[in-house]
Amino acid sequence: MPAIKPLVAFVGRPNVGKSTLFNRITRTKDALVDNMPGVTRDRHYGDAQWDDVQFTVVDTGGFIDDEADDFAQSIRTQVCQAIEDADIIVLVLDGKGGVSPYDDALTNILRPVAKPVFYVVNKIDSIEQESALYDFYRLGVDHFYPVSAEHRYGLNDFLSDLADAVTAINADSFVDTDQEMIRIAVIGHPNVGKSSLINCILGENRLLVSPIAGTTRDTIDTVLQRDNRIYRFIDTAGIRRKAKVKKKLEKFSVIKALKSLSRCDVALIVIDAQEGITEQDISIAGYAYERRCSCIFLINKWDLVNKKETSSQKYYDDLRMKAKFLPFAPMLTISALTGRRVPRIFNVVNDVYPQYCSRITTGELNRILKRAVDLTTPSLHKGRRIKFYYATQITSKPPTIVIFVNYPKAVHFSYKRYLINRIREEAKLDKTPIRIFFRQRGKQPK
Ligand code: GDP
Ligand code: GDP
């Protein structure tokens, strides 16, 4: 099982310290994110861990539209989106600047929310400054956490309570009823045809239970059965509910995508054939990649494409060039409108999923490693040979391998890619992400 991580959204006015707090909480985990050539963009979300509790943090400030005409409206939308999609909301307030008129409005929006809400007053750099809190109590909130993102003051108290809330959500809602199900998320930017696709799929297949409660009270997943297999489409209600988001607020849809990606095995990345493959498509694909999902590209609205002028091969080549980090993701042209090739999606899912779950035996893995190294030796590190001692698969979904090395940091990215490709080829895992981590030999488990 991949870790299913609740989503914690940080909301608040600009300059209250959201991104400082975000960096504080996520920094230690960033090193684990694979190198991803082909996508450059700001990171506004990251993985965090407190004790053994894992969660994902979103800094919604990153999704604020600087060009929005109305600042208050923009923040309001940001907060409403977080309320809808996140599991826990953290309102960050500015302890140095004091209460602002916006804070009243924000607390009013948050008060009736049924999800856990944390009120954090930041920039309280020491115990002497805690008196700044008093002013905030007129907002009618029971408890504030005084913290200093910059100096770590108060963070332990806040984070342990946050971790408790995360644990409660895990216990509440992520019951393991869906172990036998293939969990599928349908993602893509607005208007590519996600809801048409869901409707097309639902129209053709037998619904097992519909609708069933998803992870949290307000996400609805759809479970359907087809040829004795069970598929769970994540957050179908969220997709079918017509997005009222205006074009300039499209950035917000990222939170939605993140949310369903953190719970899925297979991401169906829907692309509008008429628009071609856009930067936004690639950026959404990047999220799926970082969430370690297996991915399938669906080029939708194929009915509108002039087949004389353009071929699916063209899209395929374009995709391979633009999404270099997903060389393993199959592509299928479909029409959600006519239903053309929509059933084929299930065939592709059934190809991808077993690979995503597969386990390579340690014996086989080490034979592959030895052959790979014999075939192409890694370049020297400061005049010394890099030695690969031993490899073992630590988890699946996706297959994740640890290789023990004498100089883990010295293994070049291109050599890592080479090893991944060798494993792909020899273990016949051409359609799933594969992750490799290098560790110092001494840390090898007995
Ligand atoms: P955001 O716009 O909400 O993401 O705010 P930033 O994280 O960019 O922070 C805005 C400013 O507040 C920066 O100049 C930070 O250095 C400062 N700041 C953030 N956290 C603290 C803190 O705990 N104490 C103090 N004194 N300043 C802080
Ligand atoms: P979403 O925002 O991604 O959920 O997109 P929708 O499913 O609402 O589709 C956006 C628009 O594209 C609607 O007008 C659909 O009728 C249209 N559309 C969706 N799929 C297809 C398709 O395969 N062919 C054509 N011609 N139109 C489609």
Side-chain angles (χ1 to χ4, degrees):
M1 287 282 292
I4 295 169
K5 296 177 190 165
L7 199 60
V8 179
F10 285 29
V11 301
R13 290 181 289 121
N15 278 319
V16 293
K18 290 184 300 302
S19 48
T20 311
L21 197 54
F22 171 87
N23 288 335
R24 223 351 130 239
I25 297 176
T26 57
R27 190 158 55 195
T28 51
K29 300 286 289 181
D30 252 9
L32 280 180
V33 175
D34 290 341
N35 197 340
M36 184 170 52
V39 177
T40 47
R41 71 201 142 68
D42 298 335
R43 291 181 57 91
H44 297 302
Y45 71 94
D47 291 330
Q49 183 167 349
W50 184 256
D51 293 335
D52 286 339
V53 183
Q54 300 192 347
F55 49 97
T56 298
V57 187
V58 188
D59 171 13
T60 59
F63 303 119
I64 283 222
D65 193 331
D66 301 331
E67 290 151 33
D69 329 319
D70 184 351
F71 175 69
Q73 185 56 41
S74 170
I75 294 202
R76 179 183 285 269
T77 316
Q78 167 216 17
V79 173
C80 291
Q81 185 76 26
I83 292 171
E84 201 178 308
D85 295 326
D87 299 300
I88 296 175
I89 295 124
V90 179
L91 174 65
V92 186
L93 300 154
D94 184 344
K96 271 215 156 56
V99 181
S100 103
Y102 293 115
D103 296 344
D104 262 321
L106 291 178
T107 42
N108 284 338
I109 300 175
L110 289 170
R111 199 167 293 116
V113 170
K115 298 177 178 181
V117 180
F118 286 79
Y119 298 87
V120 166
V121 179
N122 187 35
K123 308 192 190 176
I124 305 289
D125 296 337
S126 64
I127 192 159
E128 289 78 28
Q129 294 178 16
E130 281 205 16
S131 55
L133 276 183
Y134 301 144
D135 198 22
F136 284 90
Y137 279 100
R138 66 181 160 89
L139 292 173
V141 170
D142 289 339
H143 184 68
F144 289 101
Y145 291 85
V147 306
S148 168
E150 223 153 67
H151 304 288
R152 303 206 63 106
Y153 178 78
L155 278 186
N156 288 9
D157 286 348
F158 163 57
L159 285 174
S160 44
D161 285 1
L162 181 63
D164 285 347
V166 169
T167 308
I169 286 176
N170 278 335
D172 232 23
S173 34
F174 294 106
V175 214
D176 240 355
T177 50
D178 54 357
Q179 260 202 320
E180 298 304 304
M181 304 184 193
I182 305 182
R183 292 167 305 175
I184 302 176
V186 178
I187 58 170
H189 65 78
N191 283 321
V192 292
K194 294 181 296 300
S195 52
S196 308
L197 176 61
I198 296 272
N199 285 327
C200 180
I201 288 172
L202 299 192
E204 281 193 352
N205 292 284
R206 191 164 91 79
L207 297 192
L208 203 59
V209 205
S210 174
I212 75 162
T215 53
T216 52
R217 282 163 287 269
D218 50 345
T219 57
I220 305 287
D221 299 348
T222 310
V223 178
L224 60 87
Q225 187 175 18
R226 192 186 160 90
D227 302 333
N228 287 326
R229 281 191 189 231
I230 298 172
Y231 303 88
R232 178 172 189 150
F233 284 82
I234 308 289
D235 193 20
T236 28
I239 295 169
R240 297 173 86 192
R241 201 183 311 136
K242 229 27 240 133
K244 285 178 251 92
V245 217
K246 293 207 196 73
K247 196 154 177 76
K248 54 161 63 163
L249 294 170
E250 274 175 12
K251 287 177 182 172
F252 291 120
S253 60
V254 167
I255 308 181
K256 192 160 262 147
L258 277 179
K259 169 94 188 141
S260 45
L261 287 172
S262 67
R263 298 169 52 215
C264 85
D265 301 308
V266 184
L268 302 181
I269 304 165
V270 186
I271 291 173
D272 185 334
Q274 278 205 307
E275 303 265 316
I277 294 148
T278 65
E279 223 169 89
Q280 217 180 351
D281 295 325
I282 299 303
S283 155
I284 283 179
Y287 287 114
Y289 173 84
E290 290 193 349
R291 298 330 275 174
R292 298 160 200 160
C293 310
S294 57
C295 300
I296 298 170
F297 286 109
L298 299 178
I299 310 292
N300 188 34
K301 310 196 188 178
W302 197 245
D303 54 297
L304 298 177
V305 169
N306 182 339
K307 315 290 185 302
K308 289 206 183 81
E309 281 170 15
T310 188
S311 65
S312 61
Q313 185 65 36
K314 258 192 196 157
Y315 282 87
Y316 188 81
D317 294 342
D318 200 23
L319 208 48
R320 287 295 171 253
M321 199 178 65
K322 288 176 176 160
K324 283 206 173 67
F325 53 94
L326 288 173
F328 49 84
M331 182 200 97
L332 188 65
T333 55
I334 59 162
S335 169
L337 192 73
T338 67
R340 190 99 201 266
R341 272 190 299 276
V342 169
R344 283 270 290 280
I345 297 171
F346 290 93
N347 300 3
V348 183
V349 168
N350 295 340
D351 276 351
V352 166
Y353 184 71
Q355 292 196 11
Y356 185 64
C357 304
S358 76
R359 288 198 168 267
I360 316 172
T361 65
T362 302
E364 155 120 52
L365 198 53
N366 283 285
R367 280 190 290 276
I368 296 173
L369 178 65
K370 181 168 187 315
R371 277 196 293 270
V373 175
D374 286 348
L375 208 64
T376 310
T377 44
S379 48
L380 298 179
H381 168 61
K382 297 181 179 157
R384 308 188 61 172
R385 270 190 57 202
I386 296 181
K387 290 186 193 140
F388 295 91
Y389 298 111
Y390 174 80
T392 187
Q393 180 172 343
I394 50 169
T395 57
S396 59
K397 291 182 159 196
T400 303
I401 292 156
V402 166
I403 303 181
F404 295 91
V405 194
N406 53 349
Y407 303 112
K409 295 216 168 82
V411 183
H412 194 262
F413 178 69
S414 61
Y415 199 78
K416 178 178 174 181
R417 195 165 45 197
Y418 162 73
L419 289 178
I420 289 180
N421 286 338
R422 295 307 309 156
I423 294 168
R424 254 187 215 304
E425 199 161 305
E426 295 213 28
K428 308 218 165 11
L429 296 178
D430 58 326
K431 296 186 178 72
T432 174
I434 295 177
R435 299 196 305 150
I436 293 188
F437 293 105
F438 298 106
R439 294 270 184 280
Q440 191 84 39
R441 183 199 199 173
K443 290 178 186 156
Q444 174 181 340
K446 286 268 147 38

